Amino acid sequence: MSTNKIQSISVIGAGQMGHQIAMLAALGGFNTVLQDVQDTALQSAKEKLEAIMNKWVQKGKLSEDSRLAAFTRLQFTTDLNKAASNADLIIEAVVEKIEVKQEVFAKLEQFAPANTIFATNSSTIVNSLLSGVTNRPDKFINMHFFFPPLVMDCVEVVMSDQTSEETAKLALEVTEKMNRTGILLRKEISGFVANRILGALQREALYLYEEGIADYKDIDLICRKALSHPIGPFELMDLSGIDVGYYVMQQRYKETGDPEDKPNACIEEKVKQGNLGRKTGKGWYDYKNQGVKNV
């Protein structure tokens, strides 16, 4: 299968990652379906995408004709069967919990054609932990887009031992048509490359904070001033979503049993409080309904 046969892409999950991945697919020329179980999530996704694309047109990043064409190719539905039944490629972008993802892929296996490629946008869960609920491990791959997908020009494309060369080639070609740089990893490891490096920085930052060595604001300031990072590790947690990082830590700890991988107490506390970062208006910092200005 080659990309000239890939005409339809479905994205499952209309959250902060899924709706922007769907827009990339539509902009790349694919007939695209964005599916979510909640109508409200789909309506919110549509409003956000319209605002972003209108801003792109105003800034000259996109022509009005291209904007209209992209939205013509983009559909929204709560029906998983409808989203899967005609898809050549399905990209899952639901919550970072392995049980939820496995449940989604088990349902997709019932609805999708036998030749449909399954991809997960998981930022840490390798596809071999998900493909077992399907009959197509050779057609299963990670396509890890970075937040926010409409800004970040990188996709980690990760193979398992069972992923076929054809599937990997397809994923890279689709990524290119989405105008993103795809980087192929032929060996699985939890967290892949970028998040493992970021995770090491985050763990050290949290250790310094919990040990009382420095306040989180000062740690961020040092990273920006001394290391020339665009934002500090605590600011990045707020941008990505503290709950996302929490689920990643939980999954890593479940896999390794290493106490160092267990979620930090301060992270667990914020998740319990519902202070998840920019998307809730408060995390490490108070955003006072500023929202995420990312595109």
Side-chain angles (χ1 to χ4, degrees):
M1 182 182 292
S2 60
T3 49
N4 61 8
K5 294 181 181 178
I6 296 296
Q7 298 179 352
S8 300
I9 294 177
S10 289
V11 180
I12 310 304
Q16 64 178 5
M17 294 297 294
H19 74 286
Q20 292 200 16
I21 295 171
M23 195 74 243
L24 283 176
L27 289 168
F30 299 100
N31 294 322
T32 307
V33 177
L34 178 61
Q35 187 273 343
D36 198 282
V37 294
Q38 296 182 343
D39 270 316
T40 53
L42 292 171
Q43 183 60 38
S44 175
K46 186 176 182 180
E47 291 171 0
K48 289 176 182 176
L49 291 175
E50 287 175 344
I52 293 169
M53 292 300 104
N54 286 337
K55 187 184 297 183
W56 280 21
V57 171
Q58 292 169 8
K59 291 182 176 180
K61 295 172 62 177
L62 186 72
S63 71
E64 176 62 13
D65 286 346
S66 295
R67 185 192 73 83
L68 290 172
F71 276 107
T72 298
R73 290 188 288 265
L74 181 59
Q75 300 178 46
F76 301 82
T77 184
T78 57
D79 189 334
L80 189 66
N81 190 354
K82 179 181 177 181
S85 59
N86 294 311
D88 300 313
L89 169 66
I90 298 176
I91 303 174
E92 166 272 315
V94 303
V95 66
E96 195 73 356
K97 293 183 177 181
I98 190 169
E99 297 85 1
V100 176
K101 292 181 184 292
Q102 288 173 334
E103 182 180 352
V104 168
F105 280 115
K107 290 179 180 177
L108 288 171
E109 179 67 23
Q110 299 174 33
F111 301 140
N115 64 344
T116 301
I117 301 296
F118 284 177
T120 174
N121 180 56
S122 175
S123 60
T124 187
I125 302 170
V126 295
N127 71 78
S128 62
L129 294 178
L130 303 172
S131 63
V133 301
T134 75
N135 296 317
R136 62 186 84 198
D138 60 317
K139 295 181 177 65
F140 216 117
I141 199 162
N142 286 82
M143 292 179 69
H144 175 218
F145 294 78
F146 289 83
F147 180 77
L150 285 168
V151 174
M152 300 298 288
D153 178 25
C154 187
V155 180
E156 290 176 321
V157 177
V158 189
M159 301 174 68
S160 72
D161 290 340
Q162 293 179 292
T163 304
S164 71
E165 291 289 336
E166 183 180 27
T167 296
K169 182 174 182 289
L170 166 73
L172 289 169
E173 290 178 354
V174 168
T175 301
E176 184 177 2
K177 285 197 70 175
M178 290 182 178
N179 197 30
R180 289 295 174 266
T181 301
I183 301 170
L184 181 63
L185 305 180
R186 293 184 171 276
K187 187 174 182 179
E188 289 186 319
I189 186 169
S190 177
F192 319 132
V193 174
N195 278 348
R196 290 186 71 87
I197 293 171
L198 282 176
L201 175 67
Q202 178 180 296
R203 281 194 299 274
E204 188 62 25
L206 288 167
Y207 170 79
L208 293 170
Y209 168 73
E210 290 188 333
E211 289 296 308
I213 305 300
D215 183 70
Y216 67 89
K217 293 181 180 178
D218 290 332
I219 295 171
D220 279 349
L221 183 61
I222 289 168
C223 287
R224 292 198 309 270
K225 297 294 185 180
L227 304 180
S228 296
H229 290 189
I231 61 175
F234 294 91
E235 293 170 309
L236 182 58
M237 288 182 229
D238 277 359
L239 179 62
S240 302
I242 292 173
D243 56 329
V244 175
Y246 175 71
Y247 296 142
V248 167
M249 292 176 187
Q250 280 190 320
Q251 178 60 31
R252 183 77 60 81
Y253 178 58
K254 187 182 297 184
E255 290 179 23
T256 67
D258 186 343
E260 290 191 5
D261 291 329
K262 193 173 183 179
N264 296 72
C266 60
I267 295 294
E268 190 165 3
E269 181 181 5
K270 289 194 178 297
V271 171
K272 288 180 179 178
Q273 292 172 341
N275 296 327
L276 309 180
R278 285 180 177 262
K279 62 185 176 183
T280 59
K282 186 176 182 180
W284 291 101
Y285 296 87
D286 191 339
Y287 298 93
K288 298 178 181 178
N289 300 318
Q290 291 178 29
V292 183
K293 299 177 182 179
N294 53 39
V295 289

